[in-house]
Amino acid sequence: MGSSCGRVCWEWGSRLRRLTGFSRLLSTAALAPQICIVGSGPAGFYTAQHLLKHHRLAQVDIYEKLPVPFGLVRFGVAPDHPEVKSYGAEDNRILGIPGENLSGVYSARAFVGWYNGLPENRDLKPDLSSETAVVMGQGNVALDVARVLLSPLDILRKTDITEGSLAAIACSKVKRVWLVGRRGPLQVAFTIKELREMINLPGTRPLLDPADFTGLGDVIKDVPRPRKRLTELMVKSALEKPGEREASRWASATKEWGLKFRCSPLEVLPTADGKQARGIRMAVTRLEGSGESARAVPTGEVEELECGLILSSIGYRSLPLDASVPFDPKLGIIPNSLGRVQGAPGLYCSGWVKRGPTGVIITTMNDSFDTAQSVLEDLQSGLLKLSNSKEGFKSVRSILHSRGVHPVTFSDWEKIDAAEVARGKLAGKPREKLVDPREMLQLIGH
């Protein structure tokens, strides 16, 4: 994928920052546009791919703040799901409740970054000494972290999970994970593949309250097929007697996970010394409306769960790039029309910073192609005026040189890649990721 993108530079240490799929058009000569893409995640690469495929003279430079490419394709998805590594944004939404900063409370984004080797999260050291963990959220990321916490070590050892994370999970005391949602079974955000994988996870059994699913069979008759199939699987697991093989597996399971509905977080409860989380207090809710538009309304009742590990998985959000770039802090996106940044000719965006933190890899691919098409149309119509006064990468290279910054090139990345694969082979894994940028730079002689 990288070799198709012309000259590629993973920039480390300068003022340029990564924001998935953000691009500005630069030019050096008529009909030969130079395009700068900031961010080497899937949105950035797919945008580059479409531009290069449909404009034979285009030159694309990709800039990345880390010494390694691919963004949350590399860092954002569970290591046992290499086939769906896909999407990301730079920050996470917070719970906004008292006690959120206590030890034992982490964002799912940081936890995922920890076991995937994201440099900024390599020193997270999550406390896994509690038997019960709570994940606030019921999306695929929530299922990912629950599955990693509960998976047999033999499964995790065959993935590219980091060595330090694997060692910590090997000593983990976590035996039970609750996935908590504000709304009900018809509003869960995970997909059927991930749910089926959790139900079939070796050594674990699901905890599904039959009362949550009674009567749903009639309610879902007219809902879209993916939601219907997903709900049917939950109903079957909660209400139907399991087969002999499944019943035997569940009976011998030493770990368990469950779905808890209609609960909204109110407060993280501290230990006696006020330093550590010991549980979470939640408002019991009821639903107003139905389907995707249903709202969770507090009933006045509260419920408490004892737990020493709390992971917040209620969504990701993008961050503003620079004061000169329009940004909607409420929606967490750059205001745009089909990828064209409002009020900034020549500036485009794609991925989650364009549409918000929704979708998976195919969504990002199509979204990025649409942005690239907007660039191509603006080139063809003459809306984008190409100019000899802008030197593209040549100018950026001079700025980096003047600041003493030595960019990591794509060939440098290939050396890092080869070293990670070689280390992984020794451990029987697809790769052993380097997690310290300094070690990466030393490896390539920077």
Side-chain angles (χ1 to χ4, degrees):
M1 195 153 53
S3 60
S4 68
C5 291
R7 184 171 52 240
V8 181
C9 161
W10 315 122
E11 182 269 335
W12 175 257
S14 84
R15 290 173 60 191
L16 286 174
R17 295 177 53 208
R18 172 181 161 278
L19 189 60
T20 302
F22 166 86
S23 56
R24 177 181 286 279
L25 188 81
L26 303 174
S27 60
T28 54
L31 302 180
Q34 290 199 91
I35 300 167
C36 163
I37 295 180
V38 180
S40 67
F45 268 105
Y46 279 128
T47 302
Q49 179 189 35
H50 192 85
L51 289 168
L52 291 164
K53 181 178 180 180
H54 296 283
H55 197 305
R56 62 186 181 87
L57 296 179
Q59 295 183 32
V60 177
D61 301 313
I62 299 179
Y63 296 85
E64 166 64 52
K65 71 175 182 180
L66 293 172
V68 291
F70 310 136
L72 294 193
V73 170
R74 174 180 168 102
F75 296 121
V77 180
D80 58 342
H81 278 188
E83 77 285 357
V84 296
K85 284 184 177 286
S86 54
Y87 40 77
E90 286 199 283
D91 201 7
N92 55 273
R93 293 176 180 152
I94 63 172
L95 293 171
I97 60 175
E100 188 169 8
N101 295 322
L102 289 171
S103 178
V105 184
Y106 313 92
S107 72
R109 181 188 184 279
F111 190 73
V112 170
W114 170 70
Y115 62 61
N116 270 332
L118 183 62
E120 67 186 65
N121 299 130
R122 67 184 187 273
D123 298 322
L124 188 68
K125 295 182 175 61
D127 186 343
L128 306 180
S129 62
S130 172
E131 288 194 0
T132 300
V134 167
V135 182
M136 300 304 304
Q138 293 180 334
N140 281 343
V141 173
L143 285 187
D144 280 349
V145 297
R147 193 178 61 256
V148 169
L149 282 169
L150 299 175
S151 285
L153 290 178
D154 287 346
I155 292 178
L156 293 178
R157 285 193 183 102
K158 298 174 183 176
T159 73
D160 67 356
I161 189 171
T162 63
E163 183 179 5
S165 302
L166 184 62
I169 292 173
C171 299
S172 171
K173 298 292 194 297
V174 176
K175 296 181 179 180
R176 182 182 307 104
V177 178
W178 288 106
L179 296 105
V180 180
R182 293 179 298 109
R183 301 190 291 172
L186 292 177
Q187 290 81 35
V188 296
F190 50 72
T191 51
I192 192 169
K193 176 182 179 296
E194 282 67 26
L195 174 63
R196 186 180 292 115
E197 193 169 4
M198 281 299 295
I199 291 172
N200 296 325
L201 187 64
T204 70
R205 59 176 166 266
L207 301 173
L208 302 179
D209 186 346
D212 289 327
F213 301 94
T214 302
L216 287 187
D218 295 329
V219 176
I220 61 173
K221 288 180 179 178
D222 299 322
V223 303
R225 186 169 182 268
R227 173 68 66 183
K228 182 178 180 180
R229 291 178 61 236
L230 172 64
T231 308
E232 287 174 341
L233 179 56
M234 288 189 287
V235 170
K236 178 182 178 182
S237 301
L239 301 182
E240 295 185 13
K241 183 178 179 180
E244 184 177 338
R245 185 175 179 181
E246 196 169 57
S248 175
R249 180 171 63 82
W250 289 356
S252 63
T254 59
K255 299 180 180 180
E256 55 193 14
W257 63 274
L259 298 173
K260 189 170 286 290
F261 300 106
R262 292 178 288 275
C263 289
S264 182
L266 289 175
E267 178 186 5
V268 176
L269 303 174
T271 52
D273 62 8
K275 297 180 179 179
Q276 178 78 26
R278 65 166 178 86
I280 186 165
R281 179 178 292 125
M282 301 174 293
V284 177
T285 65
R286 59 179 175 82
L287 296 186
E288 288 187 352
S290 60
E292 301 296 331
S293 62
R295 293 175 57 248
V297 179
T299 63
E301 298 179 38
V302 296
E303 181 176 340
E304 293 184 3
L305 269 178
E306 293 294 319
C307 56
L309 174 64
I310 299 171
L311 298 169
S312 168
S313 182
I314 57 173
Y316 288 55
R317 67 186 180 97
S318 296
L319 295 173
L321 178 73
D322 186 84
S324 64
V325 180
F327 189 77
D328 185 329
K330 185 175 181 180
L331 298 177
I333 63 170
I334 293 176
N336 71 92
S337 175
L338 298 177
R340 298 176 178 93
V341 177
Q342 293 179 9
L347 200 60
Y348 301 82
C349 58
S350 65
W352 279 12
V353 78
K354 172 186 174 183
R355 69 180 189 277
T358 60
V360 291
I361 190 66
I362 189 68
T363 323
T364 295
M365 181 182 74
N366 291 329
D367 173 87
S368 301
F369 288 171
D370 289 343
T371 292
Q373 192 60 36
S374 292
V375 176
L376 295 170
E377 290 172 2
D378 292 350
L379 283 168
Q380 186 175 14
S381 68
L383 184 64
L384 288 171
K385 304 296 183 181
L386 303 184
S387 167
N388 291 325
S389 65
K390 296 184 177 179
E391 299 180 326
F393 178 71
K394 182 179 178 181
S395 176
V396 174
R397 181 169 51 191
S398 297
I399 293 172
L400 296 177
H401 181 73
S402 70
R403 296 175 181 171
V405 175
H406 302 284
V408 177
T409 65
F410 195 80
S411 60
D412 289 332
W413 149 244
E414 290 177 319
K415 295 175 185 176
I416 296 172
D417 180 43
E420 290 184 340
V421 171
R423 295 182 185 196
K425 188 175 181 180
L426 292 175
K429 301 167 60 179
R431 75 170 59 237
E432 182 62 54
K433 292 176 185 171
L434 299 177
V435 298
D436 188 340
R438 292 170 298 183
E439 187 177 359
M440 298 177 191
L441 296 179
Q442 288 171 359
L443 179 68
I444 59 177
H446 280 220

